[in-house]
Amino acid sequence: MANAVAKKESGSNGGGMITGLIIVACIFVGWIIWKFIMGSGGNFEGGVNTGEPLPGNYLAMVYKGGPIVPVLLGCLLMVVVFSFERYFVISKAAGTGNLDAFMKNVQTNIKSGNIDGAIADCDKQKGSVANAIKSALIKYQEVKKEGFNSEDAAETIQKEIEEATSLEMPMLEKHMTIISTMVSLGTLAGLLGTVTGMIKAFGALASSGTPDQAALASGISEALINTATGISTSALAIIMYNLFTSKIDSLTYSIDEAGSTIVSTYRRFRGSLKN
């Protein structure tokens, strides 16, 4: 157990560094997209990005959102990258086969007393859920040999399930905090871009003489572009966060359900011996 904890802490430190690099890379890529793709002269009248966007050229329009756009693009890329990463991790945790079919087979074997068959199902399924259930099944066989009464066995098996879950499941939530942070950060960054755009717009209105209509339009455009980009980032982050949270809860419930079945099966086994 100590080696497992040490390995977990070491992986956590290394994972934190990789996560930081991914975040920096996303912001850098967002800046590159804004500067060299959206800001390409071919998107603007006159061939330079200081000109007006060509009619219907949305890349140029987004570029005119100003320096907040690269930050928003970086946030959007973070949501996309970490969503793909969480998808693969959670899919791996569920195992190689259909999780519902696996749970049905395992529960059938446990209820019929075929613990070896249930362990074989876990070996075939693999993944975090199967590993946690396998640990509980092995503990079941141990307490069965030792002859614990049903309540002592229930406590021992439940403790084993909790320990196995604490080792297997936390990795599923590793980057969920980043995705949830993007929900708020995307909105706030978009709001900041909105404010800076409106400052420019009101600055154009406050200028002496006739208001600079081009500056006014540019400021309003910047505000609206940042608002739209921020809302889009937050909306995607909310959808992905809720989706992954639901999947993680489903995996945790599967482990708890199997644990309850193992405990109740052992109680029936001890009850049959007393009778």
Side-chain angles (χ1 to χ4, degrees):
M1 183 67 68
N3 290 336
V5 173
K7 185 177 179 181
K8 182 179 176 182
E9 291 178 352
S10 175
S12 220
N13 293 334
M17 183 179 295
I18 293 173
T19 300
L21 290 174
I22 291 173
I23 292 173
V24 172
C26 285
I27 295 175
F28 180 67
V29 171
W31 178 82
I32 289 176
I33 293 172
W34 176 75
K35 184 71 175 178
F36 298 104
I37 297 178
M38 294 180 173
S40 172
N43 297 325
F44 300 86
E45 294 178 355
V48 291
N49 57 25
T50 54
E52 291 300 312
L54 291 173
N57 193 308
Y58 292 102
L59 291 177
M61 292 179 187
V62 175
Y63 176 82
K64 288 296 184 178
I68 300 297
V69 172
V71 177
L72 289 168
L73 289 175
C75 291
L76 182 60
L77 284 173
M78 278 183 245
V79 174
V80 173
V81 169
F82 286 115
S83 292
F84 274 109
E85 187 265 348
R86 287 297 88 194
Y87 172 79
F88 288 117
V89 169
I90 292 174
S91 297
K92 184 177 179 181
T96 56
N98 182 274
L99 184 61
D100 292 334
F102 162 70
M103 290 301 302
K104 183 178 180 181
N105 292 335
V106 165
Q107 296 222 24
T108 299
N109 284 326
I110 292 172
K111 290 177 181 178
S112 64
N114 184 13
I115 304 303
D116 289 333
I119 292 176
D121 287 336
C122 292
D123 290 334
K124 183 179 179 181
Q125 179 73 9
K126 301 178 182 179
S128 297
V129 175
N131 290 339
I133 295 174
K134 181 181 177 180
S135 297
L137 291 170
I138 293 173
K139 181 59 68 175
Y140 171 94
Q141 291 181 322
E142 292 176 359
V143 298
K144 186 176 178 181
K145 291 178 182 177
E146 293 172 4
F148 287 176
N149 64 52
S150 60
E151 294 308 317
D152 289 341
E155 184 179 346
T156 301
I157 293 171
Q158 190 62 41
K159 184 178 180 181
E160 181 66 23
I161 292 172
E162 291 173 358
E163 290 179 354
T165 303
S166 69
L167 290 174
E168 295 286 348
M169 302 304 288
M171 286 298 293
L172 298 179
E173 300 179 350
K174 183 177 178 183
H175 292 139
M176 293 297 291
T177 304
I178 295 175
I179 296 177
S180 66
T181 300
M182 290 302 108
V183 174
S184 300
L185 190 58
T187 302
L188 292 174
L191 181 60
L192 177 61
T194 302
V195 171
T196 57
M198 294 308 296
I199 289 173
K200 289 183 180 180
F202 283 112
L205 284 174
S207 61
S208 59
T210 304
D212 188 341
Q213 294 184 357
L216 176 61
S218 176
I220 295 175
S221 175
E222 178 177 331
L224 295 177
I225 288 168
N226 285 303
T227 301
T229 309
I231 290 174
S232 300
T233 300
S234 297
L236 179 61
I238 290 172
I239 293 171
M240 301 313 297
Y241 180 81
N242 289 334
L243 175 64
F244 293 135
T245 299
S246 175
K247 288 184 176 294
I248 292 171
D249 289 343
S250 177
L251 296 179
T252 305
Y253 174 76
S254 297
I255 295 175
D256 292 340
E257 186 181 18
S260 298
T261 303
I262 295 170
V263 170
S264 63
T265 300
Y266 186 82
R267 283 175 175 159
R268 286 199 307 270
F269 167 75
R270 293 301 298 172
S272 66
L273 291 181
K274 291 178 181 179
N275 296 330

